[in-house]
Amino acid sequence: MPPLCLRSPRFTLPSHTCLSSQWTPFLPFHHSRPASHASQGRANKAAPGPGKRLGAKKGASELVVPGNIIFRQRGTHWFPGENCDMGRDHTIFAKEKGYVCYYKDPETHPKRKYIGVVFERGMKLPVPRNKPRNRRLGFVGREREMGTLATATPPRVSSGERDEGLKVGGMIKQGRKSRQPNKRKRAKMLELKRMELRPGYQYRESNWHIGRAAERAQVKVKVREHKRRNGSQAWRMLNVRKRRNAVKKALSSRQNMGLKKGSKK
């Protein structure tokens, strides 16, 4: 083993010599402790968060109910089709009970992909333009009873009960005599005939007909007549009021300042 070299190259110590405390100040210091934590680059940045579980939640021909999430996405990779809608985070969900259908509609848009819901398993989308759309109205199917008024047996009326009769084509039939409905019922029947399908799937009268309801009922409504006024004069009076209010506000602020100074003295 070579001898230990101190500051002076001429001064040497043998290897078996024990260094005492008097030699330690002359020894060189080369040791440095490395950092235990990195301070730059990717060391202190946020770690990747958990996955957002994006993608398809319901497959094709799978049963869904209103509100079920069908597809989660970032951006519009898929667009809502028949009986579906899209949330503010581009989530596509079902609006009706049925079966999921993934499809394309070249007539509407050549490159977009759509997700829809059909009412019966096996139905295909898109529906041709001239074909009527299927809508779920909440009715229950029932077999229709075939029969006419001539073959139907009239209801039996026991003694002591009043026979209300049968309504046939707007006429109330009571035995041999038939009478017309009164004026109120006749007016109501006319109103029902005037009802049309309006935007929003509402059966109601037109706006101009609703506005003349008081006139038809012969009710006098007091309507205030419009009096045309001088617009420039009103504008001048408004500016005068504003200036007057500004002067009052300035005077009140001065009085408050004077009271504060008097209280300090």
Side-chain angles (χ1 to χ4, degrees):
M1 182 176 181
L4 181 64
C5 179
L6 298 179
R7 285 183 179 275
S8 176
R10 299 176 184 176
F11 183 77
T12 58
L13 285 176
S15 60
H16 64 275
T17 306
C18 180
L19 294 176
S20 61
S21 62
Q22 61 180 348
W23 299 106
T24 53
F26 300 98
L27 292 176
F29 184 79
H30 295 291
H31 179 71
S32 62
R33 183 174 179 273
S36 59
H37 182 73
S39 61
Q40 293 180 0
R42 298 170 58 188
N44 295 320
K45 292 183 179 179
K52 303 305 176 185
R53 280 67 176 172
L54 304 178
K57 307 302 175 186
K58 299 290 183 181
S61 301
E62 192 169 349
L63 181 65
V64 291
V65 297
N68 276 16
I69 294 174
I70 302 175
F71 204 94
R72 281 194 178 274
Q73 57 185 343
R74 292 289 179 267
T76 51
H77 300 287
W78 292 85
F79 287 84
E82 293 283 338
N83 303 315
C84 285
D85 205 348
M86 185 164 59
R88 63 180 183 180
D89 60 345
H90 306 106
T91 298
I92 296 177
F93 59 93
K95 293 174 64 178
E96 297 288 345
K97 182 179 179 181
Y99 302 92
V100 181
C101 181
Y102 295 82
Y103 66 97
K104 283 187 175 182
D105 193 356
E107 294 185 0
T108 305
H109 201 282
K111 295 183 179 180
R112 286 185 179 180
K113 298 179 290 184
Y114 294 91
I115 300 176
V117 172
V118 294
F119 299 129
E120 297 179 4
R121 192 188 297 271
M123 290 178 62
K124 293 184 179 181
L125 293 175
V127 181
R129 287 184 177 274
N130 298 330
K131 188 177 179 181
R133 265 45 178 179
N134 294 324
R135 293 187 179 91
R136 194 183 297 277
L137 303 176
F139 295 134
V140 179
R142 191 178 66 177
E143 292 186 4
R144 190 171 182 180
E145 297 178 0
M146 301 302 293
T148 59
L149 290 175
T151 59
T153 56
R156 295 183 179 179
V157 181
S158 60
S159 60
E161 293 185 5
R162 185 180 176 185
D163 188 4
E164 298 293 340
L166 299 174
K167 295 182 180 180
V168 181
M171 307 280 288
I172 300 176
K173 191 173 182 181
Q174 292 183 349
R176 296 179 181 178
K177 296 182 179 180
S178 60
R179 61 181 180 84
Q180 292 283 349
N182 56 16
K183 293 181 179 180
R184 187 178 299 176
K185 288 185 178 181
R186 194 182 303 126
K188 194 170 184 180
M189 290 167 61
L190 291 174
E191 288 181 4
L192 291 174
K193 287 182 180 180
R194 282 193 296 266
M195 298 240 178
E196 299 178 3
L197 183 61
R198 303 286 174 181
Y201 299 103
Q202 300 179 18
Y203 280 96
R204 64 178 184 85
E205 298 174 298
S206 55
N207 293 334
W208 68 269
H209 202 272
I210 294 173
R212 298 184 63 181
E215 183 181 348
R216 291 197 310 272
Q218 298 180 359
V219 177
K220 294 182 179 180
V221 181
K222 294 182 179 180
V223 180
R224 187 176 62 181
E225 296 182 0
H226 174 67
K227 296 181 180 180
R228 189 168 182 176
R229 300 175 182 176
N230 192 351
S232 59
Q233 184 181 0
W235 179 76
R236 286 195 299 269
M237 295 299 295
L238 177 63
N239 289 335
V240 170
R241 285 197 300 272
K242 286 183 178 180
R243 285 195 296 268
R244 193 185 305 154
N245 293 335
V247 171
K248 287 182 181 179
K249 192 173 182 181
L251 289 174
S252 62
S253 61
R254 287 178 187 176
Q255 290 177 0
N256 293 334
M257 291 294 291
L259 291 174
K260 287 181 181 179
K261 288 181 179 179
S263 62
K264 287 182 180 179
K265 292 180 180 180

